[in-house]
Amino acid sequence: MEEKKIIGIDLGGTTVKFAIVTLEGEIQQKWSIETNILDEGSHIVPEIIESINHRLNLYELKADDFVGIGMGTPGSVDRENGTVIGAYNLNWKTLQPVREQIEAGTGIQFTLDNDANVAALGERWKGAGENNPDVILMTLGTGVGGGIIAEGNLLHGVAGCAGEIGHVTVDPHGFECTCGKVGCLETVASATGVVRVARQLSEEYAGDSELKRRLDDGQDISSKDVFVLAEQDDSFALMVVDKVCFYLGLACGNLGNTLNPSSIVLGGGVSAAGEFLRSRVENYFNEYTFPQVRESTQIKLAQLGNDAGVIGAASLALQFVK
């Protein structure tokens, strides 16, 4: 059994990442292909199958060498039936029988879950979560996503919506969200949310600031620009970062008080701001949690980067280990 392996797949809108992983979670091989979303995404699954079979031939491996394949995917996932619908960045508007196709095409057992959940499993297993049974991942990227692992189990909820941390309300009078409600964390803590906060605050800021100058000038700015200028002590950029970290700390505090995980892990592009972001979020987290939670739940930075998805996906297939 020791020699058996797992395949983890992280399916994204631009690339599909693959990894051959040991049962202990060590990556042995990894590769990626472009995601071909043409013709309503009808090429995606056949090209995944083709890529797996090609690599197995290359490495002289057979289907029998694997306990299973796990995949993280955007869209609404029906884990029981192995189907996906509504993954609009993949052009998947109709129901996709993913498991049926991949099992038929590779001869290997297959399972799948939502991509944010899968990244949480990866960080929990081999990253900042240190394999603890209670870990929350918050991904700060184009949107804000997340995954919640409680007592060793990934939480899904009755409609598969557990862990939608981006839609926690942090400002009841805030910005409108694409989900239809107002004041979601995603509207102020995603990459575009950080810029939105900067634009709003700049209307009332009158001091000397490079960030303020760029905004008044009509220049395009990114969340990275905001954090870089804040680290250079730009007074207005520091104000923006403080506001974003207040929202994040408030959301983390509510999660901490509700679930008391061993760690809340910050991942995704915005988390590249590193300790500068983490320490400020932690300060607000401490303000909004009661003592036992404050002392037992840590705010951490994600460690696996782009590998979280493939490692977490591979961990899904551990259920097939007899």
Side-chain angles (χ1 to χ4, degrees):
M1 196 63 192
E2 279 67 36
E3 290 166 23
K4 291 265 188 179
K5 304 177 197 303
I6 327 166
I7 295 173
I9 306 172
D10 180 7
L11 173 55
T14 50
T15 56
V16 190
K17 301 184 192 74
F18 300 81
I20 294 174
V21 179
T22 67
L23 298 185
E24 289 73 47
E26 301 308 318
I27 293 178
Q28 292 189 324
Q29 306 282 351
K30 57 180 184 174
W31 70 96
S32 65
I33 60 173
E34 276 184 46
T35 308
N36 180 353
I37 63 169
L38 296 173
D39 305 321
E40 299 203 337
S42 60
H43 304 288
I44 294 172
V45 174
E47 288 180 7
I48 285 173
I49 293 166
E50 187 187 337
S51 185
I52 289 171
N53 290 334
H54 170 66
R55 288 288 167 152
L56 297 199
N57 284 336
L58 208 61
Y59 304 135
E60 297 181 350
L61 293 165
K62 309 181 298 298
D64 288 352
D65 295 320
F66 294 87
V67 293
I69 299 171
M71 183 169 91
T73 173
S76 298
V77 175
D78 182 332
R79 292 172 300 124
E80 210 166 300
N81 294 312
T83 59
V84 183
I85 196 166
Y88 300 108
N89 60 340
L90 302 176
N91 254 342
W92 280 355
K93 296 162 191 150
T94 56
L95 194 72
Q96 305 290 317
V98 180
R99 183 174 67 206
E100 185 188 310
Q101 289 174 295
I102 289 182
E103 286 187 345
T106 62
I108 304 171
Q109 288 188 98
F110 176 86
T111 185
L112 78 172
D113 209 321
N114 168 271
D115 49 3
N117 282 344
V118 160
L121 286 173
E123 277 296 338
R124 179 248 171 156
W125 188 23
K126 302 303 290 186
E130 297 177 7
N131 214 17
N132 282 312
D134 296 271
V135 175
I136 295 173
L137 174 69
M138 190 185 281
T139 55
L140 313 170
T142 316
V144 173
I148 297 172
I149 298 146
E151 297 179 359
N153 296 306
L154 195 52
L155 300 189
H156 291 94
V158 289
C161 298
E164 287 288 353
I165 295 165
H167 298 294
V168 169
T169 302
V170 290
D171 181 359
H173 309 292
F175 301 110
E176 282 184 20
C177 182
T178 50
C179 77
K181 68 187 194 71
V182 164
C184 293
L185 181 64
E186 182 165 293
T187 66
V188 289
S190 63
T192 48
V194 172
V195 176
R196 193 182 283 129
V197 171
R199 289 192 191 288
Q200 184 190 45
L201 293 179
S202 78
E203 291 169 16
E204 293 162 21
Y205 187 80
D208 184 46
S209 155
E210 172 62 19
L211 177 60
K212 165 82 170 160
R213 263 197 301 279
R214 288 187 202 176
L215 284 167
D216 290 350
D217 228 13
Q219 293 181 31
D220 269 347
I221 62 157
S222 66
S223 60
K224 185 182 177 183
D225 295 332
V226 174
F227 279 97
V228 166
L229 287 166
E231 288 190 55
Q232 293 167 3
D233 272 342
D234 181 297
S235 54
F236 175 58
L238 279 165
M239 183 197 285
V240 175
V241 167
D242 183 65
K243 188 76 167 173
V244 170
C245 291
F246 155 74
Y247 290 128
L248 284 167
L250 177 62
C252 288
N254 289 335
L255 289 166
N257 293 334
T258 308
L259 294 158
N260 188 207
S262 60
S263 53
I264 299 174
V265 180
L266 306 176
V270 175
S271 76
E275 182 58 22
F276 191 77
L277 171 82
R278 193 209 65 80
S279 59
R280 285 165 169 76
V281 173
E282 183 179 65
N283 289 340
Y284 282 112
F285 171 80
N286 289 340
E287 207 175 305
Y288 296 117
T289 45
F290 60 97
Q292 291 89 333
V293 171
R294 201 176 308 141
E295 288 153 18
S296 57
T297 295
Q298 291 180 284
I299 304 293
K300 292 184 172 184
L301 292 169
Q303 293 174 354
L304 297 180
N306 281 335
D307 289 341
V310 286
I311 291 174
S315 78
L316 288 173
L318 290 172
Q319 64 184 284
F320 300 132
V321 177
K322 299 292 185 282

